[in-house]
Each structure stands twice: as structure tokens, then as C-alpha cells.
Amino acid sequence: MGRFDRRVAVITGAARGIGFGTATRFAEEGASVAIVDLDESAAAEAAAKLPVVDGASAIGVGADVSNAASVVAAVERVVTELGGIHVLVNNAGITRDNLLFKMTEDDWDLVMGVHLKGAFLMTKAAQRHFVEQKYGKVVNISSISALGNRGQANYSAAKAGIQGFTRTLGIELGPFGINVNAIAPGFIATEMTDATAARLKMDVEEFRRLNAEANPVKRVGMPADIAAAVTFLCADEASYITGQTLFVDGGISLGT
Ligand code: NAP
């Protein structure tokens, strides 16, 4: 028996990286999974790779989480095709890093739109179903960058905003059987961090080695590290935990 048998989990930005790792873990543990990502064919391809168990299924849904109409259509499609919605992981993300004096209004709006507005729109669309069935789990992906990170004024503000959003929804939705928590990952080896290495003109392996050195556990995180924490927070055994942000970062946020 899996922890998520007969549950439907929706993970945004899950065609690759942390989202795909998380979708994989939900599928392994019995859930039917909807991979929501910008590109429908990439989402469908990723869904086809998930290790779904007998009786469960997986679909890929193309949607832009920063667009209200797209989000409402995506959530309704999941409910129709998979028979409901029980878990929402707001993971979709982008970076548009620059020092403040070089950061454009577009860089600001795009990052806020995907991370913060995206989490708002997706949660609003899902909560209607969650409230009706008096059951729901939401995990929002924040970041250690919420604590401040040079060159990431937009991303840091969005990721800090996600923590306030999470606390508030913990208060509002708790009485309806809905748990809302956040995870703040440290450095996780994905295409997002590989792109940062490229931007800094650094070799990917060297960039990972330096980031591993920087934290107390002396390794970089992998998508499976975040997946383990997300699935814990979405499991029924964690139903007394809400409004929290869990740092999954090898201890780097502890300082030295
Ligand atoms: P990733 O490999 O870049 O994957 C992000 C996914 O989100 C991509 O598939 C991307 O699609 C999708 N996406 C972007 N904009 C979207 C939109 N408007 N609607 C729907 N999907 C969209 O990133 P990751 O490293 O796995 O990061 C996942 C989450 O963890 C993000 O929220 C990120 O900020 C957070 N995080 C990551 C790290 C890290 O070290 N990697 C650390 C802390 C927090 P396209 O490819 O089509 O753009």
C-alpha cells in the first residue's frame, strides 16, 4: 500500500528538475500524477516516463501558471481526466538574475508572475475542490534565496513572499482539512543551477563542487532530496504541520 494510493497529485514545472523528481516519488507511492508545464509535449513526455503503479495514471498538461485562464483550464482538466485533486505542489520557476541597477521591469514582473502569482492562481483554483472535499495538501517551493542573495532581488522577494503566502493559507485553510507548507531548497543540481553556472562562465561540475563545499553536509542536493520532503509534508502522518517553511539545504542557512 502506497502513501498516496487513490490520490491525485498536481505538480507544476514538473517536466524536469525538482518537479519531475517529485512527480516520480508521488507516482512510486501510488498517486495519479498531473505534470503541469509550459510546453504540453514536454509535460506529456515526462508523464509517460513516470513509474505509475497499477490503477493509477499520469498525464501531462500544458499551462502557464502565471495566466489565470490557463490555470483554471489546467485544474479542471486534471479533475476531469484523473477524477479529482488532492495534492498541489507549486514548483514552477524561472530566474532572471541581475543586480538591481541592471534589473528590468520585465525581469521583475516575469519572476513575480511565475513564482508568486503562479502559486496564488494555482492554489486558488485547487482550493475550491479541496474545501468541498475537506481535504487537500499544498506545498509551495520557496528557496534559501528568500534570505537574500546578490543578483536575485526579484527571485528573493518572490521566494520570501511565498513563505508569507504559505503562513497565511495555513491559517485560512486549516479549518477545511487543508495543509499548506513550503520547502526552501538550497543548491539542487538541475538545469536551473546548470544555467547559473553557464551564466557565471563556470564549469558545471566545478560549480557543484564549490556549492557542496559551502554547506555543512558537503554535498549538493538532488531533486530526490526535495521530493522526500514534499511527500512527507503531503502524507497524512504530517497533518498536524501547517504554515511552515522547511529548509532542505544541507544546513547552509544555519550560517557558519
Ligand atoms: P528547472 O529545472 O528550471 O525547472 C523549472 C520548470 O518550470 C521547467 O520545466 C519550466 O518550463 C517550468 N516553468 C517555467 N515557467 C513556467 C510557467 N509559467 N508555467 C508552468 N511551468 C513553468 O528548475 P528547478 O531547479 O527544478 O526548480 C524548481 C523550483 O525549485 C523552482 O521554483 C525554483 O525556483 C526552486 N528552487 C530551485 C533550486 C535549485 O537549486 N535548483 C533552489 C531553490 C529553489 P520551461 O523549461 O518550458 O521553461
Side-chain angles (χ1 to χ4, degrees), residues 12-19 36-39 63-66 90-95 114-115 141-145 155 159 183-193 223:
T12 67
R16 63 171 197 238
I18 292 172
V36 173
D37 212 294
L38 270 180
D39 176 4
D64 176 354
V65 297
S66 66
N90 287 310
N91 165 82
I94 58 169
T95 53
V114 177
H115 293 275
I141 304 298
S142 176
S143 168
I144 52 163
S145 294
Y155 184 82
K159 291 306 201 185
I183 287 174
F187 185 101
I188 308 296
T190 68
E191 285 183 38
M192 184 179 272
T193 41

Side-chain angles (χ1 to χ4, degrees), residues 165-248:
F165 177 66
T166 299
R167 292 173 64 90
T168 298
L169 295 193
I171 294 165
E172 287 187 15
L173 299 179
F176 300 97
I178 303 164
N179 298 79
V180 185
N181 290 291
I183 287 174
F187 185 101
I188 308 296
T190 68
E191 285 183 38
M192 184 179 272
T193 41
D194 290 354
T196 306
R199 200 167 41 75
L200 298 172
K201 298 188 179 23
M202 282 184 73
D203 174 63
V204 165
E205 286 313 317
E206 178 64 0
F207 189 54
R208 290 183 184 180
R209 192 188 64 73
L210 289 173
N211 276 282
E213 278 294 300
N215 71 49
V217 306
K218 303 295 175 202
R219 70 169 176 88
V220 295
M222 301 306 287
D225 291 306
I226 304 304
V230 172
T231 48
F232 165 65
L233 289 171
C234 293
D236 288 337
E237 66 191 334
S239 64
Y240 203 50
I241 304 172
T242 201
Q244 303 303 305
T245 297
L246 176 63
F247 282 73
V248 182

